[in-house]
Amino acid sequence: MKHVLENVESQFEMFQILNEDGKIVNEDDMPDLSDEDLKELMRRMVYTRILDQRSIALNRQGRLGFYAPTAGQEASQLGSQFALEQEDFILPGYRDVPQLIWQGLPLYQAFLFSKGHFHGNQFPENLHALSPQIIIGAQYVQAAGVALGIKKRGKKNVAITYTGDGGTSQGDFYEGINFAGAYKAPAIFIVQNNRFAISVPVEKQTNAKTLAQKSVAAGIEGIQVDGMDVLAVYAVTKDARDRAINGEGPTLIETLTYRFGPHTMSGDDPTRYRTEELDNEWAKKDPLVRFRKFLESKKLWSEEDENKVIEEAKDDIKKAIKQAEEQPKQKVTDLIGNMYEELPSNLKEQMEIYKEKESK
Amino acid sequence: MAQMTMIQAITDAMRTELKNDENVLVFGEDVGQNGGVFRATEGLQDEFGEDRVFDTPLAESGIGGLAIGLALQGYRPVPEIQFFGFVYEVMDSISGQMARMRYRSGGHHTAPITVRAPFGGGVHTPEMHADSLEGLMAQQPGLKVVIPSTPYEAKGLLIAAIRDNDPVIFLEHMKLYRSFRGEVPEEAYTVEIGKAEVKKEGKDVTLIAYGAMVHASLKAAEELEKDGIDAEVIDLRTVSPIDYETVIESVKKTNRVVVVQEAQRQAGVAANVVAEIQERAILHLEAPVLRVAAPDTVYSFSDAEEVWLPNHRDIVEKVNTVINF
């Protein structure tokens, strides 16, 4: 009798390009990125870290609403997004606002999403994406559909979707990767394994040693990558994208990462479920620190560059929050008007009632 | 004009729209080469190819997600849920996702999806096949819920549903699939969603029904005729939104109403119809509005379903109560 689990699991080794000291450990897989690209990746990560810090502050001041902190996950989020083309379609989870922003969502609209205003989700025409999904895993089955649609249209694009370690326990996770596999659809499924689904550690989530190995059952490619290494995340996503548009089907990518902050700003206290030791261990892997070291060694990044981005980000954020706050308040009549293409009779009556209420 | 069963009319509607609009896609479990477990998609894959009419893996939530994703690529998906009792597996895709797509994106995205599914009692199915779950759907804003009672309406409503730019839940009563034939035009035509129809005019009492209960109501009306009671029968055809204009007009004429549904009594479509009637026309009523419905249990195992299901005798009894009130 042959027992295969151990053999399968041993195949999933973490893919890495830069180690924690910013040294290249895997020259062969070093992606073909120009110096400008490398600097742009760093710029985006620094900008996004500042955006996270400011968003937390704005949330505490009551100027933003729902917010899921992103610090620690920049390499996973931005490295994967950097591998996309403008026509690719993103189906994000609720923490994946940065990918939308770098794909073209104006910052003030990201703030409006946080504030619970529907204009935050009225995306510009050149942004092909859904707004952040609240139901864990629902985006996985939808991504299979978008990818199949892309394939049927004969486009050279991909659907990319994101969930977390907890999301891989959902039925929709399996259904999504299985459907995409069955149709050989150009989909990229990213699991940002930040080790905790709110408070539940990944060890309690599954007996699988890696989350990437879940691809095997669906018969699709899977890879585990150092999610704190932006070059590694970029490289595996680019490879997945190349294979997808080449008709080779979907890929499941598990990024090993960590969220430095709480689950959301709605009262989560990570000290209830994470130790300081673990926090410190992961702080050493900070994707910004590692990539900064790498760029500095190549003389591509300086303190001056860093400060310039920080000022740019702060300035943009100031303007964007102002613009978001100037947006007229959403009305119930907007809601009623957006339920159907044409108002059914019941909503016609209710529209009149709320027009009257909201005119006062 | 062709004589068709309801299932043939449904196939014909899909064929018509597959021809009419290259963005229409038909898919689900066994809908491809097999033509569906009820043969609703018989011959469609041969005619339109596997790219347009195709099998899915056996997972309802996946089917719902697939439909949403395809809609996001500009397609007009017509997924089949093999039996509507399996809808619980795909509730998030329907209620959590497609119904909210337009609102969530401020009109940027839409979900022009028609979810077809057989349902309904009296055909001795195993559990979870026959339940009337239209009430669950009708409670979800963002959806339209359509239930045809004749072959003519099945074709016209299904074409209207497929052309609709919002998600439509299209429920097909299994007992009506092959129980009779009706005239169905060969060309494309639509029956307006959200519009009820007076199936029989009458002056003494209004029977309001949909799906198979339209036929039970018509049969009851025949019986009542023998006793000199002239019943009007309204087929709602759409249970979300409901055509209250037609309902209230009839109430004002007959002043007596019985609302009939195959579903359980608690919190269903009939309860809503009764509430709206008393809000809009209480001074026109000569008697309380009564309901004919199934008991508040889960759907019966098939051995007891003939008693569990409301029938024309139950309707006659309730009509006599409102007439003699």
Side-chain angles (χ1 to χ4, degrees), chain B residues 257-319:
Chain B
V257 188
V258 174
V259 189
V260 187
Q261 70 179 18
E262 186 175 309
Q264 299 84 339
R265 189 176 163 90
Q266 164 84 5
V269 169
N272 200 54
V273 172
V274 174
E276 293 283 345
I277 290 171
Q278 65 85 22
E279 280 192 36
R280 290 160 194 262
I282 196 160
L283 295 178
H284 294 274
L285 291 173
E286 296 288 347
V289 180
L290 297 187
R291 277 175 289 168
V292 174
D296 289 325
T297 67
V298 295
Y299 191 89
S300 167
F301 287 139
S302 57
D303 207 33
E305 73 180 344
E306 293 309 329
V307 181
W308 190 89
L309 285 166
N311 60 34
H312 68 281
R313 289 182 298 275
D314 301 322
I315 301 169
V316 168
E317 195 183 312
K318 294 281 180 177
V319 168

Side-chain angles (χ1 to χ4, degrees), chain A residues 122 133 152 172 175 340-341, chain B residues 51 61-62 97 106 143 166:
Chain A
Q122 285 178 317
Q133 180 58 250
K152 284 185 183 296
D172 275 357
E175 293 188 26
Y340 298 91
E341 185 174 41
Chain B
D51 194 47
S61 185
Q97 309 295 330
L143 301 177
D166 288 303

Side-chain angles (χ1 to χ4, degrees), chain A residues 62-107:
Chain A
R63 294 171 75 188
L64 281 184
F66 172 75
Y67 182 68
T70 58
Q73 297 187 208
E74 291 91 346
S76 294
Q77 296 182 326
L78 306 184
S80 55
Q81 186 274 331
F82 205 69
L84 302 181
E85 298 291 330
Q86 194 60 46
E87 296 290 313
D88 292 340
F89 199 105
I90 306 180
L91 297 97
Y94 49 77
R95 204 179 305 284
D96 302 311
V97 177
Q99 294 95 305
L100 294 177
I101 291 170
W102 292 110
Q103 193 79 4
L105 179 66
L107 201 47

Side-chain angles (χ1 to χ4, degrees), chain A residues 118 121-123 129 133 135 138 141-142 145-146 149 152-153 155 172 175 179 183 330 335 338-341 349, chain B residues 23 51 55-56 59 61-62 65 69 73-75 92 97 102-106 108-109 142-143 165-166 280:
Chain A
F118 77 96
N121 295 344
Q122 285 178 317
F123 290 170
Q133 180 58 250
I135 298 301
V141 285
Q142 295 168 12
V146 173
K152 284 185 183 296
R153 295 280 184 215
K155 295 193 242 179
D172 275 357
E175 293 188 26
F179 270 59
Y183 294 123
Q330 180 182 320
L335 165 49
N338 269 330
M339 287 308 301
Y340 298 91
E341 185 174 41
E349 292 173 17
Chain B
N23 288 318
D51 194 47
D55 289 321
T56 63
S61 185
Q73 286 297 310
Y75 287 101
D92 178 60
Q97 309 295 330
R102 182 183 290 279
Y103 169 62
R104 185 179 289 159
S105 65
H108 186 68
H109 295 302
L143 301 177
N165 287 329
D166 288 303
R280 290 160 194 262

Side-chain angles (χ1 to χ4, degrees), chain B residues 167-178:
Chain B
V168 178
I169 308 299
F170 192 87
L171 300 177
E172 304 161 3
H173 200 292
M174 285 184 270
K175 186 121 194 182
L176 304 182
Y177 266 160
R178 292 187 170 85

Side-chain angles (χ1 to χ4, degrees), chain B:
Chain B
M1 213 179 289
Q3 289 281 321
M4 289 187 196
T5 61
M6 194 159 100
I7 194 92
Q8 288 169 332
I10 286 165
T11 311
D12 195 43
M14 284 188 275
R15 182 182 295 112
T16 303
E17 287 312 279
L18 280 161
K19 261 188 212 152
N20 175 54
D21 181 351
E22 61 182 19
N23 288 318
V24 172
L25 301 175
V26 171
F27 53 91
E29 297 156 5
D30 306 295
V31 309
Q33 205 48 50
N34 191 43
V37 292
F38 286 100
R39 306 290 175 261
T41 53
E42 175 98 66
L44 296 182
Q45 189 177 69
D46 284 344
E47 192 172 344
F48 297 97
E50 208 174 332
D51 194 47
R52 310 272 315 277
V53 181
F54 53 94
D55 289 321
T56 63
L58 205 167
E60 285 76 19
S61 185
I63 293 170
L66 199 71
I68 292 164
L70 287 165
L72 289 167
Q73 286 297 310
Y75 287 101
R76 213 166 259 283
V78 187
E80 176 180 288
I81 301 300
Q82 196 158 63
F83 290 91
F84 204 58
F86 309 165
V87 73
Y88 299 109
E89 295 285 343
V90 60
M91 277 302 278
D92 178 60
S93 278
I94 292 176
S95 291
Q97 309 295 330
M98 57 181 86
R100 295 160 201 256
M101 189 64 78
R102 182 183 290 279
Y103 169 62
R104 185 179 289 159
S105 65
H108 186 68
H109 295 302
T110 56
I113 298 167
T114 302
V115 179
R116 288 182 43 250
F119 82 108
V123 292
H124 307 291
T125 54
E127 211 188 346
M128 304 298 298
H129 285 62
D131 302 54
S132 289
L133 302 174
E134 68 279 3
L136 284 182
M137 294 294 115
Q139 206 182 22
Q140 176 58 54
L143 301 177
K144 296 176 183 177
V145 186
V146 173
I147 305 179
S149 67
T150 68
Y152 174 84
E153 279 149 335
K155 179 172 173 182
L157 283 165
L158 184 51
I159 291 175
I162 294 170
R163 293 180 185 180
D164 201 288
N165 287 329
D166 288 303
V168 178
I169 308 299
F170 192 87
L171 300 177
E172 304 161 3
H173 200 292
M174 285 184 270
K175 186 121 194 182
L176 304 182
Y177 266 160
R178 292 187 170 85
S179 57
F180 63 98
R181 286 171 188 272
E183 289 198 340
V184 176
E186 270 157 48
E187 70 272 13
Y189 63 91
T190 57
V191 170
E192 191 184 341
I193 293 174
K195 195 90 191 87
E197 189 181 62
V198 178
K199 281 274 186 269
K200 174 189 171 299
E201 288 195 29
K203 59 180 184 0
D204 298 327
V205 61
T206 300
L207 302 177
I208 300 169
Y210 53 91
M213 286 297 119
V214 171
H215 301 282
S217 298
L218 287 167
K219 195 167 173 192
E222 258 174 50
E223 302 263 311
L224 290 162
E225 195 108 47
K226 293 175 200 158
D227 300 327
I229 298 169
D230 186 13
E232 177 144 307
V233 177
I234 294 178
D235 179 359
L236 288 178
R237 304 198 293 198
T238 302
V239 299
S240 177
I242 290 173
D243 175 8
Y244 287 111
E245 210 179 303
T246 301
V247 167
I248 298 301
E249 199 181 316
S250 177
V251 171
K252 286 178 177 171
K253 178 170 75 175
T254 65
N255 314 116
R256 289 179 169 82
V257 188
V258 174
V259 189
V260 187
Q261 70 179 18
E262 186 175 309
Q264 299 84 339
R265 189 176 163 90
Q266 164 84 5
V269 169
N272 200 54
V273 172
V274 174
E276 293 283 345
I277 290 171
Q278 65 85 22
E279 280 192 36
R280 290 160 194 262
I282 196 160
L283 295 178
H284 294 274
L285 291 173
E286 296 288 347
V289 180
L290 297 187
R291 277 175 289 168
V292 174
D296 289 325
T297 67
V298 295
Y299 191 89
S300 167
F301 287 139
S302 57
D303 207 33
E305 73 180 344
E306 293 309 329
V307 181
W308 190 89
L309 285 166
N311 60 34
H312 68 281
R313 289 182 298 275
D314 301 322
I315 301 169
V316 168
E317 195 183 312
K318 294 281 180 177
V319 168
N320 283 324
T321 308
V322 298
I323 293 284
N324 299 319
F325 182 77

